């Protein structure tokens, strides 16, 4: 039995990193190695993100409210004004949006056969408490 946060790590976080890497490279001219250092991943991981071979499970670019947070993170990284607390807060906000919209459910079902989508409202109820 997997908790929603484990599903986020497997499916959502790579999608967020991919979108953030794309923004940093296209909008701010960062190189892959620079983005890798900022995000705490390897340069080959950034290469995979940019070629859509990793981080494509959830197309976060389809969700303007999620992209607002990614754009804010990219702008903050580009200006050098991002710290750990801010970064974590923004990623948690993105996660909350994903859970509230029910976007995590299909991924949860893929990795956890015990997940009953018809009876589950866990993510939405947790998000309301945050």
């Amino acid at each position: 039995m997997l908790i929603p946060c484990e599903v986020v790590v497997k499916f959502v976080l790579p999608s967020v990193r991919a979108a953030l890497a794309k923004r940093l490279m296209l909008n701010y001219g960062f190189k892959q190695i620079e983005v890798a250092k900022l995000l705490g991943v390897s340069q080959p991981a950034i290469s995979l993100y940019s070629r859509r071979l990793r981080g494509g499970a959830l197309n976060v670019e389809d969700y303007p409210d999620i992209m607002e947070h990614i754009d804010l993170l990219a702008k903050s990284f580009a200006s050098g004004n991002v710290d750990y607390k801010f970064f974590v807060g923004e990623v948690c906000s993105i996660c909350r949006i994903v859970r509230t919209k029910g976007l995590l459910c299909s991924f949860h079902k893929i990795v956890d056969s015990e997940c009953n989508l018809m009876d589950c409202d866990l993510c939405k109820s947790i998000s309301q408490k945050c």
Side-chain angles (χ1 to χ4, degrees):
M1 193 172 340
L2 296 177
I3 63 171
C5 294
E6 292 174 294
V7 181
V8 166
V9 168
K10 187 170 183 70
F11 293 99
V12 178
L13 190 55
S15 298
V16 169
R17 284 187 179 135
L20 182 53
K22 179 179 177 181
R23 284 290 199 263
L24 288 168
M25 291 185 294
L26 292 178
N27 295 1
Y28 298 100
F30 280 72
K31 304 292 183 214
Q32 286 186 4
I33 193 72
E34 295 169 319
V35 174
K37 286 179 184 177
L38 287 173
L39 299 184
V41 298
S42 67
Q43 180 277 321
I46 299 299
S47 177
L48 292 172
Y49 291 145
S50 65
R51 291 183 289 146
R52 309 275 304 155
L53 297 175
R54 183 187 289 180
L58 176 64
N59 188 4
V60 296
E61 292 181 1
D62 289 343
Y63 302 95
D65 46 354
I66 293 172
M67 289 308 298
E68 284 179 32
H69 290 277
I70 289 173
D71 287 336
L72 180 59
L73 280 169
K75 183 177 179 179
S76 297
F77 273 119
S79 67
N81 292 328
V82 81
D83 64 16
Y84 180 76
K85 187 175 180 180
F86 175 76
F87 178 72
V88 171
E90 287 301 306
V91 173
C92 287
S93 293
I94 292 168
C95 182
R96 199 172 302 114
I97 293 167
V98 168
R99 289 190 328 257
T100 301
K101 290 181 177 292
L103 300 174
L104 201 58
C105 299
S106 59
F107 301 121
H108 202 163
K109 183 66 177 171
I110 290 169
V111 295
D112 188 353
S113 61
E114 294 182 36
C115 178
N116 184 342
L117 295 179
M118 300 306 288
D119 295 331
C120 185
D121 67 348
L122 180 62
C123 288
K124 289 180 183 179
S125 66
I126 290 171
S127 295
Q128 292 171 354
K129 294 176 186 174
C130 293

